[in-house]
């Protein structure tokens, strides 16, 4: 089996008692167990918080570390809720502190929220990540009525189906991750 890729799993909300933490923990465990990735969970809450400031202001503590962690990753998995038919402002702010760190790397999404399961947020994020020169992975996970999809034990109620869907997503991410890592090794993306 090829070497494990470095996966940055980004929990894209700062809400208290957020479902994103439950989903993120489960996904991190599944990604690690897949044997395809070494996983780093990155949040937007303390102690992982990214301070609010103007774009490109690297003098603010935390921004350089955030960017370095993204730069080290071979692939990204963004966990996002849907708020008012979009994604959270904190997530957009974090993305806007970066550009080159995402380039020529795959990004997949796990979303949640209400009847849409966060799919409208993901469709908007796909456009943003194209601008970041990332490669969108088609497969993802969506949880409709998230509070009714996971048990108190932090496991999906339909574990077999959810695990199978996650595995397909991880395999696609790994394929793109290996292909793009090899391409970046042959020629730097930014020339």
């Amino acid at each position: 089996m090829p070497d494990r890729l470095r996966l940055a799993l980004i929990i894209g909300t700062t809400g208290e008692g957020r479902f994103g933490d439950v989903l993120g923990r489960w996904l991190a465990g599944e990604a690690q167990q897949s044997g395809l990735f070494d996983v780093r969970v990155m949040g937007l809450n303390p102690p992982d918080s990214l301070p609010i400031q103007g774009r490109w202001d690297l003098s603010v503590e935390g921004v350089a570390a955030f960017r370095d962690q993204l730069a080290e990753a071979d692939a990204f998995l963004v966990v996002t809720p849907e708020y008012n038919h979009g994604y959270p402002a904190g997530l957009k702010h974090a993305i806007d502190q970066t550009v080159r760190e995402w380039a020529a790397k795959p990004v997949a999404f796990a979303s949640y929220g209400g009847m849409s399961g966060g799919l409208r947020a993901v469709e908007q994020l796909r456009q943003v990540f194209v601008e970041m020169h990332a490669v969108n992975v088609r497969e993802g996970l969506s949880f409709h009525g998230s509070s009714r999809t996971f048990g108190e034990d932090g496991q999906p109620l339909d574990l077999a189906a959810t695990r199978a869907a996650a595995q397909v997503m991880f395999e696609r991410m790994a394929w793109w991750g290996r292909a793009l890592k090899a391409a970046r090794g042959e020629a730097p993306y930014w020339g």
Side-chain angles (χ1 to χ4, degrees):
M1 174 167 260
D3 290 339
R4 289 176 180 242
L5 297 169
R6 294 167 298 190
L7 174 64
L9 191 154
I10 302 162
I11 299 175
T13 183
T14 59
E16 289 294 319
R18 58 193 179 170
F19 177 70
D21 287 332
V22 173
L23 180 53
R25 277 191 299 274
W26 184 79
L27 286 166
E30 292 293 309
Q32 196 70 41
Q33 286 180 0
S34 75
L36 300 169
F37 302 102
D38 287 324
V39 182
R40 171 178 282 180
V41 177
M42 299 174 64
L44 304 180
N45 274 353
D48 306 317
S49 63
L50 186 66
I52 300 292
Q53 81 282 327
R55 188 171 185 196
W56 310 118
D57 184 359
L58 295 180
S59 64
V60 177
E61 187 176 343
V63 175
F66 179 77
R67 293 180 74 183
D68 288 347
Q69 290 174 11
L70 292 179
E72 291 171 1
D74 298 310
F76 306 101
L77 176 55
V78 177
V79 176
T80 185
E82 181 177 312
Y83 295 145
N84 301 320
H85 289 214
Y87 56 93
L91 179 55
K92 179 67 163 99
H93 176 72
I95 294 166
D96 286 346
Q97 301 309 306
T98 58
V99 173
R100 292 176 179 252
E101 294 80 4
W102 309 100
K105 297 177 185 178
V107 60
F109 304 94
S111 63
Y112 59 95
M115 293 302 292
S116 76
L119 293 174
R120 292 176 288 220
V122 169
E123 288 307 308
Q124 292 176 21
L125 282 166
R126 288 186 187 284
Q127 295 173 41
V128 172
F129 279 104
V130 165
E131 187 64 21
M132 296 291 130
H133 297 255
V135 174
N136 282 281
V137 174
R138 181 186 177 278
E139 288 76 14
L141 297 175
S142 174
F143 296 90
H144 307 264
S146 53
S147 62
R148 297 181 306 275
T149 59
F150 272 64
E152 290 183 21
D153 61 355
Q155 297 292 309
L157 297 177
D158 189 352
L159 182 60
T162 307
R163 184 171 275 157
Q167 187 60 33
V168 170
M169 177 182 68
F170 294 141
E171 288 169 3
R172 297 297 189 273
M173 291 173 65
W175 189 94
W176 279 108
R178 286 189 297 271
L180 292 167
K181 185 176 182 178
R184 290 190 315 273
E186 289 178 19
Y189 183 78
W190 294 104

